[in-house]
Amino acid sequence: MGNTTQKSQETEVEEPGQLKQEEDSNFTCEICIEPMLAIRKFKNGSLCKHPFCLDCVAKYIEVKVEETTGCIECPGLNCKQLLDPLSCNCIISKPIFEKWCDHLCDSTVLGSESCYCPYQDCSVLVLNECRDKVKKIKCPNCKKSFCFLCKIPWHAGYQCNESRHLRDRNDILVGELIEEKNWTRCYNCGHSIERVSGCRDIKCKCGVRFCHQCGGPFHFGPCRHRSCGAVLCNVFIFVVLAALCYFLYFEIHLRSRR
């Protein structure tokens, strides 16, 4: 019984060394079924490990690249890991590697929102890598701002549906002033209003009430517009507090009469 326990413990201690020895030992490739030296074993970075030789993996990649595939899965049975291009760079030819990189770039572009910079002296392709809904964006090449939604130079102070009505340089300057001063334009008449302090409930001279924070129709309680977040209107807070005070007064008055 004692000998059995001692043998089990010795086996556990030797396991890491045995694994290292297995990695450095010769192997049989599971693709071509040929015996190979340890230095011919393919290593997919730290993603996965399989007994494949370099030549078989290189031919596998070449076939996949010719099929216009960007993301290439490991040829291992039931293995869903992707081959690491950097780990494969040294075993494939330069043209194949460059073609593979082109396919990867194309698949990235197709999977993301993209548009071209609207400025004629730039026209570089811009990707929305954040996956969020973006509007104002700065071109990484020319550093100029433009609208990602309507694909034109940034229309400061104007909504996308109003941008086509910009007539001259003066309209653009007015829009930039509206954005700089943080004014909000009435959605009904287009009049710009500045809020110094107080509630975001604004009554325009045209008679329409709107939310100064998002520019939409006014609403009590938490703002339903994404640009406002969870902002509570001061009027709503005042009404709630007034109702609470009235309820407490009424409750105290009833108890005092009892």
Side-chain angles (χ1 to χ4, degrees):
M1 185 69 178
N3 294 336
T4 304
T5 305
Q6 184 177 0
K7 184 177 180 181
S8 175
Q9 291 175 350
E10 290 177 356
T11 303
E12 292 178 358
V13 173
E14 293 176 357
E15 279 183 358
Q18 289 177 353
L19 292 175
K20 179 66 176 176
Q21 185 177 359
E22 288 178 1
E23 291 180 0
D24 297 336
S25 60
N26 298 340
F27 67 100
T28 299
C29 176
E30 290 187 354
I31 298 178
C32 63
I33 319 299
E34 292 289 339
M36 295 288 172
L37 297 175
I39 58 174
R40 301 296 299 167
K41 188 174 184 179
F42 171 72
K43 296 180 181 179
N44 190 25
S46 58
L47 299 177
C48 58
K49 296 180 181 179
H50 302 282
F52 301 141
C53 69
L54 299 179
D55 293 336
C56 286
V57 174
K59 293 176 182 177
Y60 170 76
I61 294 174
E62 185 175 352
V63 172
K64 288 296 182 179
V65 170
E66 292 300 327
E67 294 176 356
T68 65
T69 302
C71 298
I72 302 178
E73 291 187 355
C74 171
L77 185 64
N78 298 325
C79 181
K80 299 300 181 181
Q81 294 290 349
L82 299 178
L83 294 183
D84 179 22
L86 296 179
S87 300
C88 303
N89 184 21
C90 59
I91 66 173
I92 58 179
S93 64
K94 185 177 180 180
I96 294 296
F97 181 74
E98 291 178 349
K99 195 172 183 179
W100 186 9
C101 292
D102 290 339
H103 291 334
L104 287 172
C105 291
D106 292 341
S107 62
T108 302
V109 171
L110 292 174
S112 304
E113 287 185 296
S114 62
C115 71
Y116 289 95
C117 177
Y119 296 96
Q120 295 182 356
D121 58 345
C122 181
S123 300
V124 73
L125 182 64
V126 181
L127 301 180
N128 177 17
E129 298 178 347
C130 300
R131 307 288 181 175
D132 295 329
K133 187 176 181 180
V134 295
K135 187 174 181 181
K136 183 179 181 180
I137 191 171
K138 180 180 288 187
C139 175
N141 184 50
C142 66
K143 309 302 180 184
K144 297 178 182 178
S145 297
F146 67 93
C147 180
F148 194 83
L149 298 180
C150 53
K151 280 69 174 179
I152 64 173
W154 179 241
H155 42 80
Y158 296 90
Q159 300 295 328
C160 290
N161 57 355
E162 300 173 316
S163 59
R164 66 186 65 181
H165 302 303
L166 297 177
R167 295 181 297 275
D168 51 30
R169 178 62 182 169
N170 291 331
D171 289 337
I172 298 176
L173 292 175
V174 171
E176 292 175 351
L177 180 64
I178 292 173
E179 187 177 76
E180 178 184 350
K181 298 295 184 180
N182 198 26
W183 297 344
T184 301
R185 299 175 66 244
C186 173
Y187 68 90
N188 184 54
C189 67
H191 181 68
S192 300
I193 298 178
E194 178 183 12
R195 185 184 67 159
V196 178
S197 62
C199 179
R200 57 184 169 88
D201 176 17
I202 303 296
K203 185 174 183 180
C204 182
K205 63 179 184 180
C206 69
V208 169
R209 293 174 63 194
F210 67 91
C211 173
H212 190 275
Q213 190 157 351
C214 65
F218 178 73
H219 41 83
F220 285 104
C223 187
R224 295 188 298 271
H225 296 79
R226 185 177 180 183
S227 59
C228 290
V231 180
L232 288 175
C233 176
N234 293 340
V235 173
F236 176 74
I237 296 175
F238 175 78
V239 171
V240 172
L241 291 177
L244 182 60
C245 291
Y246 178 79
F247 175 78
L248 292 176
Y249 171 79
F250 186 73
E251 185 71 18
I252 295 173
H253 182 68
L254 284 179
R255 290 184 179 181
S256 63
R257 294 187 60 180
R258 292 176 184 174

